[in-house]
Amino acid sequence: MFASAGSLAGSGRTITFALFIGLVCITLAITVWARMHTDGAVDFYAGGRVFSGPQNGLALAGDYMSAASFLGIAGIISLSGYDGFLYSIGFLVAWLPALLIVELMRNTGRFTMADVLSHRARRQSSVRIAAAVSTVTVSVFYLIAQMVGAGALIALLLGVRPGATFLGMSAGTAEVMTIVVVGALMICYVMFGGMKGTTWVQIIKAALLMFGATLMTVLVLGRFGFDLSHLLGAAARSSGKGHAFLEPGLKYGKEVSGHSSQTLFNKLDFVSLALALVLGTAGLPHIVTRFYTVPDARAARTSVNWAMGLVGAFYLMTIALGFGATALVGRKEIIAHDPAGNTAAPLLARELGRHVAGRIGGDIMLAFVASVAFATILAVVAGLVMASATSLAHDYFGNVLMLGRPQERQEVAVARFAAFLIGSVAIVLAVFAKNLNVAFLVALAFAMAASANLPAIVFTLFWRRFNGAGMVAGIYGGLLSSIVLVVFSPVVSGKVDPVTGQSLSLFPKGTDFHWFPLDNPGLVSIPVGFLCAFVGTFLSRDKTDPDGFTELSVRSLTGAGAH
């Protein structure tokens, strides 16, 4: 189908690069406009609370649907069939508990998760510090993974290969420069545009993503007479796995003959991954802060409905994207370009474009999908930096160092500096980690969010007895347990491919200090987080305020008194 792996970007490289530049110019223009209309903390942190329900729904969908959703899931489905589609189901189901919680948080908080938690705490400083630590830690882990992925992905889509050059740079230098450019852009969006600029970038990204996914889905289904069973049958035949491609067991919960314990661990690891995905979304800081940009509870509810519709439609379309890539491109061709399958969607786009309008059509479709992926990365990393900067400035500087009485001008200045600092650290770490397998960072970020943030949020909203000591214990207990379990898990050391003999862990073959048998810690760390919050509450002498819980309950359900 293609002459070589390097031809992925071939003649379409110029078109792709031009679209990248055009997208950057548009988003920077939006940032300049947002800077001119940003004045004060409410504008910087919450976009002035002027976004309508549909606008915030688009931004929510843009925040939630990352590059992993668009390219990663399509790739996993194209290589693993049914098991890959479980990711789509997991991310879609994860949206439901998130929506149940974040609207309640929007009604009770002002800018951050700590605003909600500290409402019932007598010692607010310790709660805000713990919440800020958790927010920054989760965001940075997620941010590094996104930026490393951005460097590899954009280099791949632009056709940058080892031994080749791009704009006079070697492949390695070009990948580093990609990370730096993505990082510099996200710093600009947050420092100058604040939440207004970031929100409009996410709205544009969501619109582009939905348009691209819809167009590709229609073209794929059209190739098979809009018959889904015909599409699935063709995918099974092209997969080389036959009917097993449409059944569970190719990737998750594998049966290991003669090793019942390993079989059990494989099944438990899948349950652990599913728990982290489903429960972690509700604790992701950049998702929570998104709900503070609307003016009232009704707009928040409308944005929920829009986001549910967009997210649901998108993840249903990943069926066509993933199985369509297998059927029309072929499993061997996908693996030849990228063993992880991340280029399945771009390859599918090129094939669809060629079928409609020849080679130039293929190049244009490839360039468009590459630009959508770039926009997706920019929007997600900007949202993560925004959440971290807001927490540091509002929670730590404004309410701990300044005792809750900062000048707005000072707090916004600190937020801008925090965005620069966090972005710079993320760039440096991502450059050093660019050659590492950092897939575990995404799973770890979800596990930490579910283990550290979710227990504190749930108990604050629904348990009258809960107090500040329980909040702090739950946050730190869940955070530390998830990190420790990952450090001593097979994703860091001791995992070897039984076929090739190569290390599948972060450390090379021969280094093995793991004792935790699961790749994903959520099955253990999430209960630990809830247990720490529960035990911390009862061991503490802090008294609870019944009136405070009643007030919080009324506000969370009605939005009365919300800022």
Side-chain angles (χ1 to χ4, degrees):
M1 187 173 298
F2 304 109
S4 68
S7 68
L8 175 61
S11 61
R13 176 191 284 191
T14 302
I15 302 174
T16 303
F17 191 64
L19 283 177
F20 279 176
I21 297 299
L23 183 66
V24 168
C25 291
I26 291 171
T27 52
L28 286 178
I30 290 172
T31 302
V32 172
W33 171 85
R35 178 67 181 89
M36 295 169 61
H37 293 81
T38 296
D39 182 26
V42 174
D43 275 349
F44 188 85
Y45 294 144
R49 306 192 201 280
V50 297
F51 290 97
S52 66
Q55 288 174 334
N56 194 52
L58 270 169
L60 264 173
D63 235 347
Y64 188 67
M65 297 182 296
S66 66
S69 300
F70 180 45
L71 300 176
I73 292 179
I76 292 175
I77 293 176
S78 70
L79 299 182
S80 304
Y82 176 89
D83 279 8
F85 181 58
L86 291 176
Y87 260 98
S88 293
I89 299 298
F91 279 119
L92 180 56
V93 173
W95 194 233
L96 299 179
L99 295 180
L100 292 174
I101 290 175
V102 291
E103 185 182 347
L104 301 179
M105 294 188 67
R106 182 262 161 212
N107 290 340
T108 53
R110 190 171 182 225
F111 298 129
T112 65
M113 175 181 72
D115 285 339
V116 180
L117 302 183
S118 63
H119 187 83
R120 294 179 54 199
R122 293 183 181 276
R123 299 176 182 175
Q124 292 193 6
S125 294
S126 58
V127 172
R128 286 190 179 273
I129 291 173
V133 168
S134 178
T135 296
V136 173
T137 304
V138 172
S139 297
V140 167
F141 273 106
Y142 204 177
L143 193 57
I144 295 171
Q146 291 286 332
M147 292 180 64
V148 170
L153 179 63
I154 301 305
L156 193 63
L157 293 175
L158 288 174
V160 180
R161 297 291 187 276
T165 60
F166 180 74
L167 298 179
M169 296 179 289
S170 66
T173 303
E175 188 173 342
V176 170
M177 287 306 299
T178 301
I179 293 173
V180 173
V181 168
V182 170
L185 286 172
M186 74 177 177
I187 291 173
C188 287
Y189 295 152
V190 177
M191 280 187 67
F192 300 108
M195 184 58 89
K196 274 187 181 176
T198 301
T199 299
W200 280 112
V201 169
Q202 288 160 344
I203 289 173
I204 291 173
K205 166 264 177 114
L208 287 173
L209 185 59
M210 291 303 297
F211 174 77
T214 302
L215 176 62
M216 291 176 65
T217 298
V218 171
L219 292 176
V220 167
L221 293 177
R223 292 283 294 271
F224 296 94
F226 292 92
D227 186 341
L228 186 58
S229 63
H230 187 193
L231 166 61
L232 296 178
R237 289 190 295 273
S238 298
S239 69
K241 303 291 183 179
H243 193 66
F245 190 68
L246 306 178
E247 297 177 344
L250 280 182
K251 186 174 180 65
Y252 301 114
K254 289 184 178 180
E255 299 278 348
V256 182
S257 179
H259 294 81
S260 57
S261 60
Q262 188 58 52
T263 299
L264 175 62
F265 290 145
N266 288 344
K267 295 182 182 299
L268 289 177
D269 194 47
F270 173 65
V271 174
S272 188
L273 172 63
L275 277 176
L277 291 179
V278 172
L279 299 179
T281 301
L284 289 176
H286 66 298
I287 298 296
V288 172
T289 56
R290 167 59 42 211
F291 273 84
Y292 294 127
T293 62
V294 291
D296 52 44
R298 171 175 286 185
R301 205 166 297 113
T302 301
S303 65
V304 165
N305 294 335
W306 272 79
M308 283 186 68
L310 292 169
V311 170
F314 174 78
Y315 284 117
L316 286 176
M317 288 189 286
T318 58
I319 301 175
L321 299 181
F323 286 110
T326 308
L328 298 176
V329 179
R331 177 186 173 89
K332 290 183 179 179
E333 193 69 31
I334 294 170
I335 293 177
H337 287 85
D338 180 23
N342 287 322
T343 56
L347 286 170
L348 174 62
R350 188 169 194 175
E351 169 61 23
L352 294 171
R354 282 184 168 181
H355 181 75
V356 173
R359 182 172 180 177
I360 186 64
D363 289 343
I364 291 173
M365 280 290 289
L366 172 62
F368 175 72
V369 169
S371 298
V372 170
F374 188 57
T376 299
I377 292 167
L378 289 179
V380 172
V381 296
L384 289 165
V385 173
M386 186 74 223
S388 299
T390 300
S391 184
L392 283 178
H394 178 65
D395 295 328
Y396 185 67
F397 174 78
N399 286 279
V400 176
L401 295 183
M402 301 298 291
L403 304 177
R405 296 185 295 274
Q407 295 181 9
E408 279 197 3
R409 181 173 52 81
Q410 289 179 319
E411 193 170 300
V412 171
V414 171
R416 289 198 166 102
F417 175 75
F420 174 78
L421 183 63
I422 292 170
S424 300
V425 170
I427 291 173
V428 173
L429 293 177
V431 168
F432 279 105
K434 72 181 182 69
N435 294 321
L436 300 178
N437 179 2
V438 294
F440 74 97
L441 291 177
V442 176
L444 176 57
F446 274 86
M448 286 192 299
S451 306
N453 297 343
L454 190 64
I457 293 171
V458 170
F459 282 158
T460 295
L461 292 174
F462 302 110
W463 186 21
R464 183 181 296 273
R465 175 72 172 79
F466 197 44
N467 58 29
M471 296 174 199
V472 173
I475 290 173
Y476 286 134
L479 196 64
L480 291 175
S481 64
S482 56
I483 294 175
V484 169
L485 291 178
V486 164
V487 168
F488 293 101
S489 74
V491 299
V492 173
S493 69
K495 191 175 185 179
V496 179
D497 190 316
V499 178
T500 64
Q502 295 180 339
S503 173
L504 299 177
S505 303
L506 183 63
F507 280 83
K509 184 179 177 181
T511 303
D512 185 2
F513 51 82
H514 89 278
W515 49 261
F516 184 65
L518 307 182
D519 288 358
N520 299 282
L523 190 62
V524 176
S525 62
I526 295 173
V528 167
F530 276 96
L531 181 63
C532 287
F534 183 82
V535 172
T537 297
F538 280 102
L539 292 182
S540 169
R541 296 181 180 179
D542 285 357
K543 294 182 179 179
T544 55
D545 181 7
D547 294 335
F549 176 76
T550 302
E551 179 189 344
L552 186 76
S553 299
V554 172
R555 180 180 293 185
S556 67
L557 293 172
T558 65
H563 297 283

Short mmCIF file of all heavy atoms in Angstrom, two decimals, residues 172-200:
data_model
loop_
_atom_site.label_atom_id
_atom_site.label_comp_id
_atom_site.label_asym_id
_atom_site.label_seq_id
_atom_site.Cartn_x
_atom_site.Cartn_y
_atom_site.Cartn_z
N GLY A 172 16.63 13.08 16.26
CA GLY A 172 16.59 13.28 17.71
C GLY A 172 16.39 14.73 18.09
O GLY A 172 15.60 15.06 18.98
N THR A 173 17.11 15.64 17.39
CA THR A 173 16.96 17.07 17.67
C THR A 173 15.56 17.55 17.32
O THR A 173 14.97 18.36 18.05
CB THR A 173 18.00 17.87 16.86
OG1 THR A 173 19.31 17.40 17.17
CG2 THR A 173 17.91 19.35 17.18
N ALA A 174 15.01 17.05 16.21
CA ALA A 174 13.66 17.45 15.80
C ALA A 174 12.63 17.02 16.84
O ALA A 174 11.68 17.76 17.14
CB ALA A 174 13.33 16.83 14.45
N GLU A 175 12.81 15.84 17.43
CA GLU A 175 11.87 15.38 18.45
C GLU A 175 11.96 16.24 19.71
O GLU A 175 10.94 16.60 20.30
CB GLU A 175 12.16 13.91 18.80
CG GLU A 175 11.11 13.29 19.70
CD GLU A 175 11.31 11.80 19.89
OE1 GLU A 175 12.03 11.19 19.09
OE2 GLU A 175 10.73 11.25 20.85
N VAL A 176 13.19 16.59 20.10
CA VAL A 176 13.37 17.48 21.25
C VAL A 176 12.73 18.83 20.98
O VAL A 176 12.04 19.40 21.85
CB VAL A 176 14.86 17.64 21.59
CG1 VAL A 176 15.05 18.75 22.62
CG2 VAL A 176 15.44 16.33 22.11
N MET A 177 12.94 19.37 19.79
CA MET A 177 12.37 20.67 19.44
C MET A 177 10.84 20.62 19.44
O MET A 177 10.18 21.60 19.79
CB MET A 177 12.89 21.13 18.09
CG MET A 177 14.35 21.57 18.10
SD MET A 177 14.66 22.86 19.37
CE MET A 177 13.57 24.17 18.81
N THR A 178 10.29 19.48 19.04
CA THR A 178 8.83 19.34 19.08
C THR A 178 8.31 19.44 20.50
O THR A 178 7.33 20.12 20.78
CB THR A 178 8.41 17.98 18.48
OG1 THR A 178 8.87 17.89 17.13
CG2 THR A 178 6.90 17.82 18.51
N ILE A 179 8.99 18.77 21.43
CA ILE A 179 8.61 18.83 22.84
C ILE A 179 8.71 20.26 23.36
O ILE A 179 7.82 20.76 24.06
CB ILE A 179 9.50 17.88 23.68
CG1 ILE A 179 9.22 16.43 23.31
CG2 ILE A 179 9.27 18.11 25.17
CD1 ILE A 179 10.15 15.43 23.97
N VAL A 180 9.80 20.94 22.99
CA VAL A 180 10.02 22.32 23.44
C VAL A 180 8.94 23.25 22.88
O VAL A 180 8.39 24.10 23.60
CB VAL A 180 11.41 22.81 23.05
CG1 VAL A 180 11.58 24.30 23.36
CG2 VAL A 180 12.50 22.01 23.78
N VAL A 181 8.61 23.09 21.60
CA VAL A 181 7.60 23.94 20.97
C VAL A 181 6.24 23.72 21.61
O VAL A 181 5.52 24.69 21.93
CB VAL A 181 7.54 23.68 19.45
CG1 VAL A 181 6.30 24.34 18.84
CG2 VAL A 181 8.79 24.22 18.77
N VAL A 182 5.85 22.46 21.81
CA VAL A 182 4.58 22.16 22.46
C VAL A 182 4.54 22.76 23.86
O VAL A 182 3.55 23.38 24.28
CB VAL A 182 4.33 20.64 22.51
CG1 VAL A 182 3.12 20.32 23.39
CG2 VAL A 182 4.09 20.09 21.11
N GLY A 183 5.65 22.61 24.59
CA GLY A 183 5.72 23.17 25.94
C GLY A 183 5.65 24.69 25.95
O GLY A 183 4.95 25.29 26.77
N ALA A 184 6.36 25.32 25.02
CA ALA A 184 6.34 26.79 24.95
C ALA A 184 4.95 27.30 24.61
O ALA A 184 4.48 28.31 25.17
CB ALA A 184 7.35 27.26 23.91
N LEU A 185 4.26 26.61 23.71
CA LEU A 185 2.90 27.02 23.34
C LEU A 185 1.95 26.91 24.53
O LEU A 185 1.14 27.81 24.78
CB LEU A 185 2.39 26.19 22.17
CG LEU A 185 2.99 26.53 20.80
CD1 LEU A 185 2.56 25.50 19.76
CD2 LEU A 185 2.57 27.93 20.36
N MET A 186 2.04 25.80 25.27
CA MET A 186 1.12 25.64 26.40
C MET A 186 1.40 26.69 27.47
O MET A 186 0.47 27.19 28.12
CB MET A 186 1.22 24.23 26.99
CG MET A 186 2.46 23.96 27.81
SD MET A 186 2.47 22.30 28.52
CE MET A 186 4.08 22.32 29.33
N ILE A 187 2.67 27.06 27.67
CA ILE A 187 2.99 28.11 28.63
C ILE A 187 2.38 29.44 28.18
O ILE A 187 1.80 30.18 28.98
CB ILE A 187 4.52 28.24 28.79
CG1 ILE A 187 5.08 27.01 29.51
CG2 ILE A 187 4.87 29.50 29.58
CD1 ILE A 187 6.60 26.97 29.56
N CYS A 188 2.47 29.72 26.88
CA CYS A 188 1.89 30.97 26.35
C CYS A 188 0.38 31.00 26.54
O CYS A 188 -0.19 32.02 26.95
CB CYS A 188 2.23 31.11 24.87
SG CYS A 188 3.95 31.54 24.54
N TYR A 189 -0.28 29.88 26.21
CA TYR A 189 -1.74 29.83 26.35
C TYR A 189 -2.18 30.16 27.76
O TYR A 189 -3.12 30.92 27.98
CB TYR A 189 -2.28 28.43 25.98
CG TYR A 189 -2.08 28.03 24.54
CD1 TYR A 189 -1.96 26.70 24.19
CD2 TYR A 189 -2.01 28.98 23.53
CE1 TYR A 189 -1.78 26.31 22.87
CE2 TYR A 189 -1.82 28.61 22.20
CZ TYR A 189 -1.71 27.27 21.88
OH TYR A 189 -1.52 26.89 20.58
N VAL A 190 -1.50 29.57 28.74
CA VAL A 190 -1.92 29.72 30.13
C VAL A 190 -1.46 31.06 30.71
O VAL A 190 -2.23 31.78 31.35
CB VAL A 190 -1.40 28.56 30.99
CG1 VAL A 190 -1.78 28.75 32.45
CG2 VAL A 190 -1.96 27.23 30.49
N MET A 191 -0.20 31.43 30.48
CA MET A 191 0.33 32.66 31.05
C MET A 191 -0.42 33.89 30.54
O MET A 191 -0.75 34.80 31.29
CB MET A 191 1.82 32.81 30.73
CG MET A 191 2.74 32.00 31.61
SD MET A 191 4.48 32.40 31.30
CE MET A 191 4.55 34.10 31.88
N PHE A 192 -0.70 33.91 29.25
CA PHE A 192 -1.28 35.10 28.66
C PHE A 192 -2.79 34.99 28.45
O PHE A 192 -3.52 35.98 28.62
CB PHE A 192 -0.59 35.42 27.32
CG PHE A 192 0.88 35.66 27.47
CD1 PHE A 192 1.80 34.74 27.03
CD2 PHE A 192 1.35 36.81 28.07
CE1 PHE A 192 3.15 34.94 27.16
CE2 PHE A 192 2.70 37.04 28.23
CZ PHE A 192 3.62 36.10 27.77
N GLY A 193 -3.26 33.82 28.08
CA GLY A 193 -4.69 33.67 27.80
C GLY A 193 -5.52 33.26 28.98
O GLY A 193 -6.74 33.47 29.00
N GLY A 194 -4.88 32.66 30.01
CA GLY A 194 -5.64 32.19 31.17
C GLY A 194 -6.68 31.17 30.76
O GLY A 194 -6.55 30.48 29.74
N MET A 195 -7.74 31.07 31.54
CA MET A 195 -8.78 30.09 31.25
C MET A 195 -9.57 30.45 29.99
O MET A 195 -10.06 29.56 29.29
CB MET A 195 -9.73 29.96 32.45
CG MET A 195 -10.80 28.89 32.27
SD MET A 195 -10.13 27.23 31.97
CE MET A 195 -9.97 26.62 33.67
N LYS A 196 -9.69 31.72 29.68
CA LYS A 196 -10.40 32.10 28.45
C LYS A 196 -9.68 31.57 27.21
O LYS A 196 -10.29 30.94 26.35
CB LYS A 196 -10.52 33.63 28.35
CG LYS A 196 -11.71 34.21 29.07
CD LYS A 196 -11.85 35.70 28.78
CE LYS A 196 -13.05 36.27 29.54
NZ LYS A 196 -13.18 37.72 29.36
N GLY A 197 -8.39 31.85 27.13
CA GLY A 197 -7.62 31.38 25.99
C GLY A 197 -7.60 29.87 25.91
O GLY A 197 -7.79 29.28 24.84
N THR A 198 -7.39 29.22 27.07
CA THR A 198 -7.34 27.76 27.11
C THR A 198 -8.68 27.16 26.67
O THR A 198 -8.72 26.17 25.93
CB THR A 198 -6.98 27.28 28.53
OG1 THR A 198 -5.72 27.83 28.91
CG2 THR A 198 -6.91 25.77 28.59
N THR A 199 -9.77 27.76 27.12
CA THR A 199 -11.10 27.23 26.78
C THR A 199 -11.37 27.32 25.29
O THR A 199 -11.88 26.37 24.67
CB THR A 199 -12.19 28.00 27.55
OG1 THR A 199 -11.98 27.81 28.95
CG2 THR A 199 -13.57 27.49 27.17
N TRP A 200 -11.03 28.45 24.67
CA TRP A 200 -11.28 28.58 23.24
C TRP A 200 -10.40 27.63 22.43
O TRP A 200 -10.83 27.10 21.39
CB TRP A 200 -11.08 30.03 22.79
CG TRP A 200 -12.26 30.89 23.08
CD1 TRP A 200 -12.36 31.90 23.98
CD2 TRP A 200 -13.56 30.77 22.47
NE1 TRP A 200 -13.63 32.43 23.97
CE2 TRP A 200 -14.39 31.77 23.06
CE3 TRP A 200 -14.10 29.94 21.49
CZ2 TRP A 200 -15.72 31.94 22.69
CZ3 TRP A 200 -15.43 30.11 21.12
CH2 TRP A 200 -16.22 31.09 21.71
#
